[in-house]
Amino acid sequence: MVRNIFCLLILVLGQFVAISQERKKLFSKKKKAVPTWVAPKSPYNPEATKLHDLIHTKLEVAFNWEKKQLLGKAYLTLKAHFYPQDTLLLDAKGFDINKILISTRSNSYIASYIYDKKLLKIKLSEKLGPSDTIKVEIDYVANPENLPKSGSGAITEDKGLYFINPDGSDKDKPKQIWTQGETESSSCWFPTIDHPNQKTTEEIYITVEDKYTTLSNGLLKSSTKNTDGTRTDYWIHDKPHAPYLFMMAIGEFQTYKDKWRDIEVNYLMEKAYFPYAKKIFGNTPEMLEFFSNRLGVKYPWDKYSQVVVRDFVSGAMENTSASLFYEGLNVTDRQLLDRNWDGIISHELFHHWFGDLVTCESWSNLPLNESFANYSEYLWYEYKYGKDEADYHRYNEMDEYLDESKEKQEPLIRYHYFDKEDMFDNHSYNKGGCTLHMLRKILGDEAFFEGLKRYLTKNAFKPGEIHHLRLAFEEVTGQDLNWFFDQYFMKSGHVQMGVKQSYANGKLKLVIAQMQDSLYTPLYKFPVDIEIWVNGQRELKHLEIKDALHIVEYPYAVQPDLVVFDADQYLLGEVYHTKTTKEYIYQYQHCTPYLSRLSAALALAENSVKDSLAAKAMFLVVKDPHHSIREIALSVLSRSKFIKQDSLKPVLLATATTDKFPKIKAIATKLLAPYADSHMEVINKNLMDSAYSVVGGALHAFLKSSSTSKEEIILKYKTERMLSIIITLSEYFTTQKDVNQQVWYDELIKTLQRREQYYFIGEYVKYYQAIGKISEPKIVTALTQIASSKTAFIWSKLGAYKQIADLKDLKDKKSILQKVLDQETNAKLRKEYEAILKKLK
């Protein structure tokens, strides 16, 4: 019935200018194909059944670096959850089991067991109920290198325990050991019940060479030097947490000791980056204070440490009291001028409430962890850097979700999936964070944060599911909130609104339509404010949207200057409301929310191709208080046919000289390239700037000048390993078809790490294409080595594989790609390789 209303509505409204042809097809009367984003049928994934409860886990571990093995003893204390059991099931992946001892109140014995290298089935001598404590001692060897490899976009490998450069053969990389337990990979290095609905206290004895620093959950209680040159560190964590949150990090780290209230706060870094530890992580105590106060729940753990490791398989991990970060945080003070790491730092810290204190009971409920951690970034930016910066972050998060929604649309809480790793996507993170922002707006700050406090307090040290969160908000507000949770958490999709306005006979008429396909997406209910400007005065009209079609009329003696749907710009979704250039200029000048200014700036940028008024409006926009909007203006002003050089140059000069945001200063300096010879003073000054991005922009402009010092400048910067400088030089060498730079390219493609290598792969190929040597064997060899590497960044591997596939006239292309595919052990990456190879066949 609703779909027929939509069809009629489109016929009545005629052409909706902002609606793409693809979306118009949604309302056709013809039978439609199932949208590509509709998820295929997948199995139901319940919470893991609790046969036994973990009570305490004690571990004793040492390492064989050469064989990449952990030598361990595990002492587990458990009890039956409710029903008496005569078999104990433990997750233990790829172990060599030496011996298992069982102790109960009445008996101690060597246990018999069945083991398939995944699940350890231990036979108990009798049925034991919840009042009978069981103690299990397991002597074992963990072999993470022998495990089949898999992972996800968020966590690229799942072998649990990682030996980095174990033989020391890579002189540019330290020797390290670290763990990654999420989702169920802790059982790759100790036997446990590896499900998020288990909670256990922990103690661990870690024996390493005396030169290494260790880090684990909880507090370091003792450190004992042994006679063989090793040392045993004893860590104890006496508050229950999930097994996937257990951690170890071992390496030659230096520790910066900070503090928050009475809790130790530490930052562990390699020696080269230790001088910058305070600048990288220094906002942590303030974050602890802010989040504790905002939630009304004090940080619940005994300490908070943060460590940066090499070759990490994710961005970071919120191990209880000891978060682990990837090497991107190995930066200097100069690099921090271009980017701080507050987002990822706040994200992992907030998990210590949402994820560590209250843990999702099943991976289907992962948004109870990740949506909150995602939204914590917004909260921190709002508090520390202002609402504009927070809304800029939210816009990017929403944009990434909307992009993903073209390929998949799933409920936030997903009981149906093929692989638990599929939960780690832009739904659980981005959509979830934006959904929480909507809930905050609807309830108000006081009720929202009181609801979070209630949820955390009632479920502390327990697993939780989405209904616990809903009930907490309902208890606080006295409202039934099932309508919100049902449509935003339990169903897929998002709102798609069409708004058409007209004015006649002293009345403003708004036709508001929900345009999403109701076969797969709910008809949404939500409150919204309409912002109406008349003669410079602002008025708000409140609406409760719940129908497919909503028509309202408001009396006005004159035609309003502007109408804005969703005055607070809080909705997660897409709104199509076409306006004139004059209306967009009015919106930019009068509406204060960041997203109102941004949407106006984006619309004006789009219109500027054909509209001189829109293009010239960018002289207003280029002065916007937020850097992202200034960036839009610079882009339009620099390429618009309506903008004269005489009016553009003063803007570029002023921005390149005075803008306080390095990226904008860099862009303006780069755009001075056509006028470089006239403005070398500014360009040379910015070549000496502290921010690498500004140096990169100035270098680009300098190389476009007629200066005779180019070779000298190139030699100066060729040794730099900052991406902005590398890309600038590469673009110049490629444009010049400089055949003498091959050694530089060949060295960088081998030595750059992670993000830098990922972005450089394309530059490498373009250069060799430009100089006509793309068919040389060394090109394919370099790309193949990356694509088949066991340690390269997963996106670098995929990028290299795609470049091989795109090489023209490459003999044996399919066999080369097939060989890389055959050697790949990561299941997710194999699928990507297979899809690329299939297109060639």
Side-chain angles (χ1 to χ4, degrees):
M1 178 64 179
V2 175
R3 294 176 72 209
N4 291 333
I5 292 175
F6 283 162
C7 295
L8 178 61
L9 176 61
I10 292 301
L11 292 173
V12 172
L13 296 181
Q15 295 292 325
F16 242 73
V17 178
I19 305 174
S20 67
Q21 290 298 319
E22 181 180 348
R23 287 193 170 84
K24 289 176 187 176
K25 293 176 184 177
L26 289 175
F27 310 104
S28 170
K29 290 183 178 180
K30 295 180 181 179
K31 186 175 181 179
K32 301 178 304 185
V34 176
T36 56
W37 46 258
V38 173
K41 290 185 178 180
S42 53
Y44 176 72
N45 296 276
E47 176 189 6
T49 301
K50 292 182 179 179
L51 300 176
H52 284 91
D53 293 336
L54 282 168
I55 300 172
H56 184 68
T57 301
K58 174 184 172 182
L59 301 173
E60 297 174 0
V61 301
F63 307 95
N64 185 324
W65 289 78
E66 182 181 358
K67 295 182 179 181
K68 301 180 184 178
Q69 292 178 327
L70 178 147
L71 315 177
K73 287 186 177 180
Y75 305 84
L76 309 181
T77 305
L78 313 95
K79 65 180 182 64
H81 181 74
F82 183 81
Y83 298 104
Q85 305 291 331
D86 60 6
T87 302
L88 173 62
L89 302 179
L90 296 176
D91 297 292
K93 300 182 177 78
F95 294 173
D96 297 327
I97 304 295
N98 298 324
K99 186 171 61 173
I100 300 177
L101 298 176
I102 301 288
S103 298
T104 65
R105 183 169 51 186
S106 60
N107 199 5
S108 295
Y109 53 92
I110 297 176
S112 60
Y113 59 90
I114 299 173
Y115 182 43
D116 63 359
K117 293 294 184 177
K118 294 181 180 179
L119 192 64
L120 187 57
K121 298 181 180 180
I122 303 171
K123 182 65 178 175
L124 303 178
S125 62
E126 57 183 319
K127 276 195 172 184
L128 298 173
S131 61
D132 300 303
T133 300
I134 308 167
K135 293 191 176 181
V136 184
E137 178 183 340
I138 303 175
D139 189 318
Y140 67 98
V141 177
N143 304 284
E145 294 301 310
N146 297 338
L147 296 172
K149 308 297 189 301
S150 187
S152 66
I155 307 167
T156 57
E157 268 195 304
D158 60 356
K159 62 183 180 182
L161 176 67
Y162 297 80
F163 290 81
I164 306 304
N165 193 27
D167 60 1
S169 58
D170 188 341
K171 303 305 178 184
D172 296 322
K173 185 178 294 185
K175 294 175 65 174
Q176 294 177 351
I177 297 173
W178 46 261
T179 61
Q180 166 56 29
E182 194 173 35
T183 49
E184 296 173 5
S185 298
S186 284
S187 51
C188 297
W189 63 279
F190 67 94
T192 188
I193 303 176
D194 209 352
H195 298 296
N197 61 355
Q198 290 286 339
K199 296 273 186 171
T200 173
T201 52
E202 167 200 355
E203 56 184 316
I204 182 169
Y205 294 82
I206 305 173
T207 299
V208 294
E209 292 178 58
D210 192 34
K211 66 178 180 178
Y212 293 120
T213 298
T214 73
L215 177 66
S216 190
N217 312 98
L219 297 175
L220 180 63
K221 287 297 184 179
S222 67
S223 188
T224 304
K225 292 190 176 183
N226 305 313
T227 58
D228 61 355
T230 64
R231 188 187 74 254
T232 299
D233 289 346
Y234 172 45
W235 294 85
I236 185 165
H237 184 77
D238 60 5
K239 297 176 181 178
H241 65 147
Y244 79 88
L245 296 167
F246 280 43
M247 74 84 69
M248 295 184 297
I250 296 156
E252 295 186 73
F253 302 115
Q254 294 189 355
T255 303
Y256 185 98
K257 295 185 177 182
D258 211 337
K259 193 173 184 180
W260 171 72
R261 296 187 186 179
D262 57 345
I263 290 176
E264 64 177 80
V265 176
N266 298 323
Y267 321 131
L268 284 72
M269 308 283 294
E270 294 174 24
K271 182 179 180 180
Y273 300 99
F274 177 74
Y276 315 108
K278 177 67 173 177
K279 289 190 175 181
I280 297 166
F281 292 106
N283 282 335
T284 302
E286 189 176 356
M287 289 180 185
L288 284 160
E289 186 69 23
F290 169 65
F291 289 143
S292 293
N293 292 335
R294 202 72 169 102
L295 294 169
V297 178
K298 183 185 174 184
Y299 175 77
W301 311 103
D302 295 329
K303 70 126 180 354
Y304 189 51
S305 293
Q306 296 167 104
V307 59
V308 181
V309 302
R310 294 294 188 100
D311 297 344
F312 192 48
V313 293
S314 187
M317 182 61 203
E318 67 274 12
N319 311 295
T320 314
S321 79
S323 291
L324 194 152
F325 295 85
Y326 89 109
E327 64 198 47
L329 278 75
N330 279 335
V331 292
T332 66
D333 52 353
R334 287 189 68 185
Q335 289 170 281
L336 287 168
L337 294 173
D338 285 320
R339 178 184 183 181
N340 69 55
W341 293 91
D342 279 15
I344 194 170
I345 293 170
S346 62
H347 182 110
E348 304 311 322
L349 175 56
F350 209 64
H351 266 309
H352 282 71
W353 286 269
F354 296 92
D356 296 6
L357 180 61
V358 184
T359 309
C360 61
E361 68 168 20
S362 66
W363 300 117
S364 297
N365 281 271
L366 179 67
L368 288 176
N369 294 8
E370 297 301 346
S371 295
F372 282 100
N374 177 280
Y375 193 52
S376 74
E377 299 170 40
Y378 180 93
L379 295 174
W380 172 252
Y381 289 137
E382 182 183 40
Y383 158 78
K384 185 68 174 177
Y385 303 110
K387 197 169 187 307
D388 273 11
E389 188 67 15
D391 282 338
Y392 167 64
H393 175 75
R394 180 165 61 94
Y395 169 79
N396 287 323
E397 296 294 296
M398 182 164 62
D399 191 56
E400 288 177 3
Y401 157 70
L402 291 174
D403 186 58
E404 183 177 85
S405 73
K406 298 171 185 175
E407 303 297 329
K408 62 186 282 190
Q409 291 187 21
E410 302 267 14
L412 278 177
I413 305 300
R414 272 170 272 173
Y415 291 101
H416 290 267
Y417 55 73
F418 290 104
D419 188 333
K420 59 187 179 299
E421 304 301 330
D422 296 339
M423 291 294 301
F424 292 81
D425 59 10
N426 288 336
H427 283 61
S428 292
Y429 289 73
N430 305 39
K431 182 184 181 183
C434 292
T435 299
L436 291 173
H437 184 77
M438 285 196 296
L439 183 60
R440 176 187 174 188
K441 167 63 181 173
I442 290 169
L443 297 181
D445 274 16
E446 185 176 358
F448 179 76
F449 289 106
E450 187 63 31
L452 296 186
K453 179 180 178 180
R454 180 75 59 96
Y455 168 75
L456 291 170
T457 303
K458 292 191 71 171
N459 300 288
F461 306 107
K462 299 176 185 176
E465 60 177 289
I466 190 63
H467 302 297
H468 291 124
L469 182 65
R470 175 178 58 82
L471 291 171
F473 282 117
E474 290 184 345
E475 289 171 8
V476 167
T477 64
Q479 301 177 22
D480 177 84
L481 293 172
N482 192 60
W483 65 271
F484 183 92
F485 280 78
D486 180 60
Q487 64 187 11
Y488 289 114
F489 282 97
M490 308 307 295
K491 293 179 180 176
S492 62
H494 54 270
V495 67
Q496 293 174 293
M497 301 299 300
V499 180
K500 187 174 180 66
Q501 70 183 74
S502 60
Y503 178 79
N505 302 319
K507 290 184 179 180
L508 171 68
K509 182 178 181 180
L510 298 179
V511 180
I512 303 166
Q514 294 199 48
M515 296 157 35
Q516 62 274 8
D517 191 333
S518 62
L519 276 180
Y520 306 100
T521 308
L523 192 62
Y524 288 94
K525 169 186 173 182
F526 57 89
V528 68
D529 288 333
I530 309 295
E531 185 175 6
I532 302 172
W533 287 82
V534 181
N535 293 328
Q537 298 298 311
R538 177 178 182 263
E539 186 176 352
L540 287 181
K541 302 290 187 182
H542 185 78
L543 295 177
E544 294 288 336
I545 302 295
K546 59 182 178 180
D547 299 317
L549 182 62
H550 199 104
I551 301 175
V552 292
E553 291 183 336
Y554 302 111
Y556 285 104
V558 296
Q559 182 171 343
D561 300 301
L562 178 69
V563 176
V564 178
F565 181 84
D566 184 16
D568 293 314
Q569 303 291 296
Y570 86 103
L571 285 175
L572 165 63
E574 299 166 281
V575 177
Y576 305 98
H577 183 187
T578 302
K579 302 169 190 174
T580 66
T581 293
K582 287 185 177 180
E583 286 175 319
Y584 283 126
I585 293 173
Y586 194 96
Q587 178 173 321
Y588 177 77
Q589 290 179 308
H590 290 82
C591 297
T592 55
Y594 166 83
L595 289 175
S596 290
R597 302 190 333 263
L598 176 67
S599 60
L602 289 170
L604 289 168
E606 184 177 354
N607 292 350
S608 68
V609 177
K610 297 181 179 180
D611 188 338
S612 63
L613 184 61
K616 292 174 181 177
M618 289 299 158
F619 284 109
L620 296 173
V621 179
V622 79
K623 299 176 182 179
D624 193 272
H626 198 267
H627 58 85
S628 64
I629 297 178
R630 298 201 299 277
E631 183 176 352
I632 294 169
L634 284 174
S635 175
V636 172
L637 290 171
S638 64
R639 59 180 169 78
S640 175
K641 63 184 180 182
F642 299 111
I643 305 301
K644 296 180 180 180
Q645 291 186 5
D646 289 344
S647 58
L648 174 60
K649 281 196 290 184
V651 173
L652 296 180
L653 280 170
T655 307
T657 304
T658 63
D659 202 287
K660 295 181 179 180
F661 195 80
K663 183 180 179 181
I664 303 305
K665 192 174 182 180
I667 292 171
T669 308
K670 185 175 181 178
L671 290 173
L672 282 174
Y675 328 108
D677 288 338
S678 302
H679 302 293
M680 289 303 291
E681 182 179 353
V682 173
I683 292 169
N684 283 323
K685 181 180 179 181
N686 285 357
L687 274 173
M688 304 300 293
D689 199 273
S690 298
Y692 284 111
S693 61
V694 177
V695 175
L699 182 60
H700 173 88
F702 184 92
L703 293 174
K704 293 289 185 179
S705 73
S706 60
S707 172
T708 58
S709 305
K710 290 181 184 178
E711 289 301 319
E712 179 183 341
I713 290 294
I714 288 171
L715 285 174
K716 177 180 178 181
Y717 288 104
K718 275 182 70 175
T719 57
E720 290 284 358
R721 290 299 178 263
M722 296 302 109
L723 194 59
S724 60
I725 295 174
I726 290 171
I727 298 300
T728 299
L729 288 176
S730 178
E731 290 172 347
Y732 179 74
F733 296 149
T734 299
T735 302
Q736 297 296 312
K737 299 182 180 180
D738 187 346
V739 296
N740 297 316
Q741 304 301 330
Q742 295 177 61
V743 172
W744 184 75
Y745 278 90
D746 294 341
E747 178 193 0
L748 287 180
I749 197 67
K750 294 177 182 178
T751 58
L752 288 177
Q753 300 291 317
R754 293 180 69 90
R755 177 173 173 266
E756 286 75 14
Q757 185 184 59
Y758 169 71
Y759 283 105
F760 187 70
I761 289 170
E763 293 294 322
Y764 178 79
V765 171
K766 283 191 289 186
Y767 169 75
Y768 275 104
Q769 287 173 333
I771 66 173
K773 294 190 177 185
I774 194 63
S775 59
E776 287 195 1
K778 68 175 182 179
I779 312 300
V780 177
T781 299
L783 294 173
T784 303
Q785 287 176 345
I786 296 171
S788 57
S789 170
K790 293 183 178 180
T791 59
F793 187 35
I794 190 170
W795 302 117
S796 296
K797 295 177 65 168
L798 182 58
Y801 196 86
K802 287 179 177 178
Q803 291 289 352
I804 297 170
D806 290 340
L807 290 177
K808 295 180 179 179
D809 304 321
L810 174 60
K811 294 180 180 180
D812 302 323
K813 180 191 297 186
K814 292 179 182 178
S815 63
I816 292 170
L817 293 172
Q818 186 65 55
K819 185 176 179 180
V820 174
L821 170 61
D822 292 340
Q823 294 175 347
E824 182 55 53
T825 56
N826 185 295
K828 297 290 183 182
L829 198 53
R830 283 182 60 85
K831 288 182 180 179
E832 297 285 350
Y833 286 178
E834 288 169 354
I836 294 169
L837 188 55
K838 186 177 180 180
K839 290 181 180 179
L840 296 178
K841 296 178 180 179

